[in-house]
């Protein structure tokens, strides 16, 4: 059974600092990994998707890496801003069984 | 307009009542999903559908039913609501894993359901 873990569960940083969010998964036979952002009481917004054959994806200040063999992904957010405050979720998709498994999320607070 | 629209956004109901949560999408995707989110438990899959004639149970389908009325519409019903079904419910859609598809999941804004 796939298990996805995100550590830390919560993170508080001053504005301008780089953010490093970690995601680990137990079954490396994944189709892709997706990072989401969730604001309080809101839905999930897709940030980055990394296919199993890729090592990283970048979008603006965001960079996500994937090391499938070790079961790890890292989301980097450069030069954090108060608007980056949210919960960040990673999810791994396994095509067999059409199973998307979510981590518990990391709640981020960027202080001005 | 949002790619995935859920109605209602908030709902309070009483134990034993039947309620329906509705979802529509404009992405043109075949695959649609219903999840629930609970504090400390993350998101869990309730049901999913690969096309209008295809319905599949997820990991927590007991107490729920679904209907895929059209490619763009997927509704979730609680036949007899109970308090432990109080949660945030999300509908999602994806383009699947076919040729050229990336299976990016797009989520609605959620429905906050309280069962008293």
């Amino acid at each position: 059974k796939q298990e996805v873990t995100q550590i830390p569960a919560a993170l508080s940083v001053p504005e301008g600092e780089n953010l490093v969010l970690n995601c680990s998964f137990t079954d490396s036979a994944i189709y892709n990994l997706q990072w989401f952002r969730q604001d309080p009481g809101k839905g999930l917004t897709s940030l980055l998707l990394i296919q199993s054959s890729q090592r990283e994806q970048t979008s603006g200040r965001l960079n996500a890496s994937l090391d499938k063999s070790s079961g790890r992904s890292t989301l980097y957010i450069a030069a954090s801003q108060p608007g980056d405050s949210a919960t960040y979720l990673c999810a791994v998709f396994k095509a067999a069984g059409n199973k998307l498994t979510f981590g518990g999320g990391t709640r981020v607070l960027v202080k001005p | 307009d949002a790619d995935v629209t859920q109605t209602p956004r908030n709902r309070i109901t009483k134990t034993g009542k039947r309620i329906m949560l509705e979802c529509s999408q404009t992405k043109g995707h075949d695959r649609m999903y219903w999840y629930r989110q609970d504090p400390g438990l993350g998101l869990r899959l309730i049901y999913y559908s690969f096309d209008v004639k295809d319905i599949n149970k997820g990991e927590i389908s007991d107490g729920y039913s679904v209907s895929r009325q059209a490619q763009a519409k997927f509704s979730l019903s609680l036949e007899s609501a109970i308090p432990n079904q109080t949660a945030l419910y999300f509908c999602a859609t994806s383009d699947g894993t076919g040729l050229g598809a990336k299976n990016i999941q797009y989520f609605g804004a959620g429905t906050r359901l309280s069962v008293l």
Side-chain angles (χ1 to χ4, degrees), chain A residues 30-37 45-59 62-66 73-75 89-94 100, chain B residues 29 93-97 100-107:
Chain A
I30 64 171
Y31 185 84
N32 61 34
L33 182 146
Q34 198 166 355
W35 281 95
F36 295 90
R37 168 185 172 136
T45 301
S46 180
L47 297 174
L48 290 167
L49 179 139
I50 311 177
Q51 299 287 55
S52 63
S53 58
Q54 297 175 319
R55 298 283 292 183
E56 67 175 348
Q57 280 288 325
T58 298
S59 176
L62 276 60
N63 174 276
S65 65
L66 174 65
S73 177
T74 302
L75 177 66
L89 297 155
C90 72
V92 295
F93 182 76
K94 191 178 174 80
L100 183 68
Chain B
H29 292 162
T93 181
S94 76
D95 58 352
T97 56
K102 295 183 178 180
N103 200 60
I104 298 175
Q105 299 243 339
Y106 298 89
F107 282 76

Side-chain angles (χ1 to χ4, degrees), chain B residues 26-71:
Chain B
T26 58
K27 299 292 290 184
H29 292 162
D30 287 326
R31 297 190 179 192
M32 297 188 74
Y33 310 81
W34 276 103
Y35 295 90
R36 66 177 279 177
Q37 185 178 35
D38 299 274
L41 294 176
L43 276 88
R44 293 178 291 167
L45 182 64
I46 305 172
Y47 269 96
Y48 63 98
S49 169
F50 280 8
D51 64 38
V52 175
K53 297 179 182 179
D54 178 78
I55 300 290
N56 303 280
K57 292 183 178 180
E59 57 186 307
I60 53 163
S61 59
D62 288 348
Y64 302 95
S65 63
V66 290
S67 174
R68 186 79 184 267
Q69 301 95 325
Q71 186 202 38

Side-chain angles (χ1 to χ4, degrees), chain A:
Chain A
K1 177 186 174 187
Q2 178 75 273
E3 293 182 3
V4 182
T5 304
Q6 291 185 248
I7 295 174
L11 185 60
S12 180
V13 299
E15 182 177 3
E17 195 166 295
N18 296 331
L19 284 164
V20 180
L21 308 179
N22 298 301
C23 172
S24 61
F25 48 94
T26 54
D27 183 353
S28 63
I30 64 171
Y31 185 84
N32 61 34
L33 182 146
Q34 198 166 355
W35 281 95
F36 295 90
R37 168 185 172 136
Q38 185 177 24
D39 293 287
K42 301 286 180 64
L44 281 69
T45 301
S46 180
L47 297 174
L48 290 167
L49 179 139
I50 311 177
Q51 299 287 55
S52 63
S53 58
Q54 297 175 319
R55 298 283 292 183
E56 67 175 348
Q57 280 288 325
T58 298
S59 176
R61 294 184 295 114
L62 276 60
N63 174 276
S65 65
L66 174 65
D67 184 341
K68 211 172 63 164
S69 61
S70 67
R72 293 180 184 176
S73 177
T74 302
L75 177 66
Y76 300 90
I77 303 178
S80 62
Q81 304 168 358
D84 294 328
S85 298
T87 296
Y88 292 83
L89 297 155
C90 72
V92 295
F93 182 76
K94 191 178 174 80
N98 190 49
K99 179 73 172 170
L100 183 68
T101 304
F102 282 85
T106 295
R107 191 170 66 252
V108 171
L109 176 63
V110 180
K111 294 182 283 188

Side-chain angles (χ1 to χ4, degrees), chain B residues 68-82:
Chain B
R68 186 79 184 267
Q69 301 95 325
Q71 186 202 38
K73 296 183 182 296
F74 192 37
S75 60
L76 176 72
S77 294
L78 286 68
E79 297 302 325
S80 179
I82 57 177

